[in-house]
Amino acid sequence: YIEDMTLEELHQYNFGYYFEDANGQRIYKDAADLEAQGLQIATVDQLFEEFYTNRPDLLFIVEIKNDGEAGKEACRILYETLQQYPDYLDQIVVGTFHDDIETVLKTAYPDLLRGAPTGTAAKFVLTQYLGVNLFDNSDFACLQIPTSYDLGIEVFLDSKSLINRAHRRNIAVQYWTINDPDEMRILIEMGVEGIKAKLGQYPECDLLFVSDLQRTHQTARIIYPDMEQIIIPEIHECDMGDFTGKCYE
């Protein structure tokens, strides 16, 4: 298992081995110099160091996968690493599926923004739908949920009312895992803050439009490396203040 290996041992593996380009070719499969090509596993401090100066606006979702002592140690390492990158403290949401790790994050690292673990998210959704949320005291920053959940019957969670109720409590809403472009558009129109897509399964497109901002070129090059970028300066983001998201009506 990966958790039983040292970092030095993990560095011997090609973490780009299964990466496929737009033509389905594994372009890094036979790479010789893994370090030079950036194909070794990256540590969290390497990621922060890489982006901290040239991408200070970058947002992160960090998931603590382990529970128990390993999960607690991961929380400690993450928090101590972030002390070197203080501007990222309010740009990172830390998520976990484990209630015991949520308790550690709340008590030991209260200045970290948290996503709701499964139990907390289920409680929030249930109280919203039952209308017993008058005294809701949720203190997480982000609700990360699928669009539906199977409880014997399929319960749909992609509702405008649920999103609005979260927003009234200053809770962001993110859905996973969405790869259908039409479904993405619907969720965006509902006002969600984030959509998680499965890496390597972005929708095909015939034309690729980007603004004149460098970060749009960089992102487009990662997702669609072989497509020509058509630059349209007029489409970069605009701040409409109180009128953002509203139509003429």
Side-chain angles (χ1 to χ4, degrees), residues 113-114 120 123-143 160-173 193:
L113 299 176
R114 292 178 291 102
T120 304
K123 177 182 175 183
F124 179 85
V125 171
L126 186 62
T127 58
Q128 305 309 306
Y129 279 130
L130 294 178
V132 292
N133 59 332
L134 182 61
F135 301 105
D136 179 80
N137 60 351
S138 298
D139 58 354
F140 54 87
C142 185
L143 187 65
K160 180 65 173 175
S161 61
L162 178 62
I163 295 169
N164 288 343
R165 287 168 178 166
H167 286 172
R168 284 197 291 269
R169 288 161 176 77
N170 199 30
I171 296 172
V173 182
E193 281 72 30

Side-chain angles (χ1 to χ4, degrees), residues 196-215:
K196 181 180 178 182
K198 186 174 182 180
L199 190 63
Q201 292 191 2
Y202 289 93
E204 295 182 3
C205 62
D206 298 317
L207 296 172
L208 179 60
F209 299 100
V210 297
S211 76
D212 55 349
L213 299 177
Q214 183 182 11
R215 61 177 175 268

Side-chain angles (χ1 to χ4, degrees), residues 31-242:
D33 193 337
L34 301 181
E35 183 178 5
Q37 292 185 258
L39 297 174
Q40 293 177 319
I41 190 171
T43 60
V44 68
D45 56 318
Q46 287 176 318
L47 291 174
F48 292 161
E49 182 179 3
E50 174 70 23
F51 295 115
Y52 194 64
T53 54
N54 61 2
R55 288 295 307 275
D57 59 335
L58 199 63
L59 305 177
F60 293 88
I61 296 175
V62 178
E63 292 188 23
I64 306 296
K65 296 292 189 181
N66 299 86
D67 59 358
E69 293 304 315
K72 295 175 184 178
E73 180 69 0
C75 292
R76 183 191 64 79
I77 292 172
L78 175 62
Y79 187 78
E80 291 182 358
T81 302
L82 277 171
Q83 303 313 299
Q84 305 171 49
Y85 309 95
D87 290 347
Y88 272 166
L89 270 173
D90 61 353
Q91 294 173 214
I92 292 178
V93 171
V94 184
T96 179
F97 285 105
H98 308 293
D99 292 335
D100 64 323
I101 300 303
E102 182 197 24
T103 300
V104 171
L105 289 169
K106 289 176 63 173
T107 56
Y109 313 106
D111 48 338
L112 288 179
L113 299 176
R114 292 178 291 102
T118 304
T120 304
K123 177 182 175 183
F124 179 85
V125 171
L126 186 62
T127 58
Q128 305 309 306
Y129 279 130
L130 294 178
V132 292
N133 59 332
L134 182 61
F135 301 105
D136 179 80
N137 60 351
S138 298
D139 58 354
F140 54 87
C142 185
L143 187 65
Q144 299 161 324
I145 53 177
T147 55
S148 64
Y149 198 81
D150 188 358
L151 295 174
I153 60 172
E154 189 171 14
V155 179
F156 293 97
L157 306 178
D158 53 345
S159 74
K160 180 65 173 175
S161 61
L162 178 62
I163 295 169
N164 288 343
R165 287 168 178 166
H167 286 172
R168 284 197 291 269
R169 288 161 176 77
N170 199 30
I171 296 172
V173 182
Q174 302 173 349
Y175 284 99
W176 50 265
T177 302
I178 314 297
N179 293 305
D180 180 79
D182 291 331
E183 188 174 5
M184 290 180 179
R185 293 188 189 98
I186 292 172
L187 291 172
I188 290 170
E189 290 172 359
M190 286 183 177
V192 303
E193 281 72 30
I195 297 173
K196 181 180 178 182
K198 186 174 182 180
L199 190 63
Q201 292 191 2
Y202 289 93
E204 295 182 3
C205 62
D206 298 317
L207 296 172
L208 179 60
F209 299 100
V210 297
S211 76
D212 55 349
L213 299 177
Q214 183 182 11
R215 61 177 175 268
T216 65
H217 305 167
Q218 295 169 333
T219 302
R221 194 157 51 242
I222 292 171
I223 299 175
Y224 301 106
D226 299 316
M227 289 199 67
E228 177 187 0
Q229 298 182 20
I230 303 172
I231 300 175
I232 302 180
E234 292 80 10
I235 65 174
H236 67 232
E237 57 259 62
C238 299
D239 184 358
M240 299 299 180
D242 293 337

